Amino acid sequence: MGIESPTETSESTAKEDLREFFENNIQRLENGRYMVSLPFKDNIRFLGDNENIARGSLKRFLFKNRNKSELIAAVDREMENYLKCGYAEPAAPKKPDELVHYLPILPVVKQSSAQSTPKVRVIKDAGARREDEAALNDVLHGGANLLPDVIKVLLRFRQDEIAVTCDIEKAFLQYRIHPDHRTFLRYFWPQGISKNPQAPISSFALVSDRDPRVQQAF
């Protein structure tokens, strides 16, 4: 009676701390977009750089699909679009003793009979790690589930005669990651490989992205 579970109290405190973190760190940019910092835990020192894992994953993908020119071209276009739209940028050279992190990428393909070219979304794997190191997921706070309750959404939808819906294109890509934290969202790709099979593998950093704690899919 009146006694709260220690687990519930701890989770409630963590959510409040995370809310306070974002309120203190979020910035409104001149173009109207927001810039946020990554909510790191105290165990960030255990984060591995994942460079070998990310390189190895990319090389395996390229080798496995070396004869699938349409797929390689589709991924290359998606990566080029990231740069053109400002979702990613060339990564700065790593400084001595700088803590960085590379995200292995995995292109997911959705092909339909109505499409002449495959639709590709590139997953960034924030759960990859070596056995003795932490993954990016392990050093970031998860936060509360802010998705609306589906039942409530459906009930509100039925309240009036006319319902209006809209969709913000790439909504989760409209915010920016603080420049100091983009180095933890690096990835590799041989930009222009669809036109030049010998294109060198280069390093890029995400400027904006969906929640890096989850693997993206269609």
Side-chain angles (χ1 to χ4, degrees):
M1 298 292 293
I3 299 178
E4 295 183 358
S5 166
T7 302
E8 293 179 357
T9 302
S10 177
E11 290 179 353
S12 177
T13 301
K15 290 178 181 178
E16 287 301 318
D17 290 344
L18 189 58
R19 181 185 182 91
E20 183 178 351
F21 169 84
F22 277 111
E23 289 178 349
N24 292 335
N25 287 276
I26 194 168
Q27 301 178 42
R28 183 76 178 269
L29 304 178
E30 292 183 358
N31 60 7
R33 294 181 177 180
Y34 290 94
M35 183 167 65
V36 297
S37 299
L38 298 180
F40 284 110
K41 298 178 182 178
D42 295 334
N43 63 344
I44 187 176
R45 65 186 183 279
F46 297 112
L47 179 67
D49 63 23
N50 266 13
E51 181 173 352
N52 291 336
I53 294 177
R55 281 187 180 275
S57 176
L58 174 60
K59 289 180 178 179
R60 286 191 296 273
F61 168 78
L62 294 174
F63 180 78
K64 180 180 179 181
N65 299 285
R66 61 191 181 279
N67 296 322
K68 299 180 180 179
S69 58
E70 288 188 1
L71 173 59
I72 296 297
V75 177
D76 200 34
R77 285 194 299 270
E78 180 71 5
M79 293 304 200
E80 179 66 25
N81 186 58
Y82 258 60
L83 295 173
K84 287 183 178 180
C85 294
Y87 303 149
E89 62 187 8
K94 181 182 176 182
K95 301 175 183 177
D97 300 323
E98 180 185 11
L99 183 60
V100 303
H101 186 77
Y102 289 87
L103 297 169
I105 63 171
L106 176 62
V108 176
V109 182
K110 185 177 182 181
Q111 181 78 64
S112 68
S113 57
Q115 294 175 319
S116 57
T117 57
K119 182 179 180 181
V120 174
R121 175 166 291 172
V122 181
I123 294 174
K124 276 72 68 177
D125 186 0
R129 65 179 179 86
R130 286 193 285 263
E131 184 177 358
D132 57 342
E133 295 176 336
L136 185 61
N137 277 355
D138 299 326
V139 300
L140 289 178
H141 288 285
N145 182 3
L146 301 179
L147 295 176
D149 185 278
V150 175
I151 300 299
K152 293 180 179 179
V153 172
L154 293 175
L155 290 175
R156 287 197 299 270
F157 188 85
R158 295 172 60 89
Q159 282 182 341
D160 300 300
E161 293 184 6
I162 300 175
V164 178
T165 64
C166 67
D167 179 44
I168 300 176
E169 183 179 4
K170 294 181 173 59
F172 292 103
L173 293 172
Q174 301 309 313
Y175 65 84
R176 293 292 181 262
I177 301 296
H178 193 283
D180 291 345
H181 287 175
R182 294 172 189 174
T183 193
F184 299 104
L185 301 174
R186 296 182 178 224
Y187 66 91
F188 291 115
W189 181 252
Q191 198 63 44
I193 190 174
S194 58
K195 298 178 181 178
N196 175 20
Q198 303 303 319
I201 294 177
S202 301
S203 175
F204 301 91
L206 294 170
V207 174
S208 59
D209 195 27
R210 293 174 172 84
D211 181 359
R213 287 183 52 85
V214 297
Q215 296 184 8
Q216 302 169 31
F218 287 96

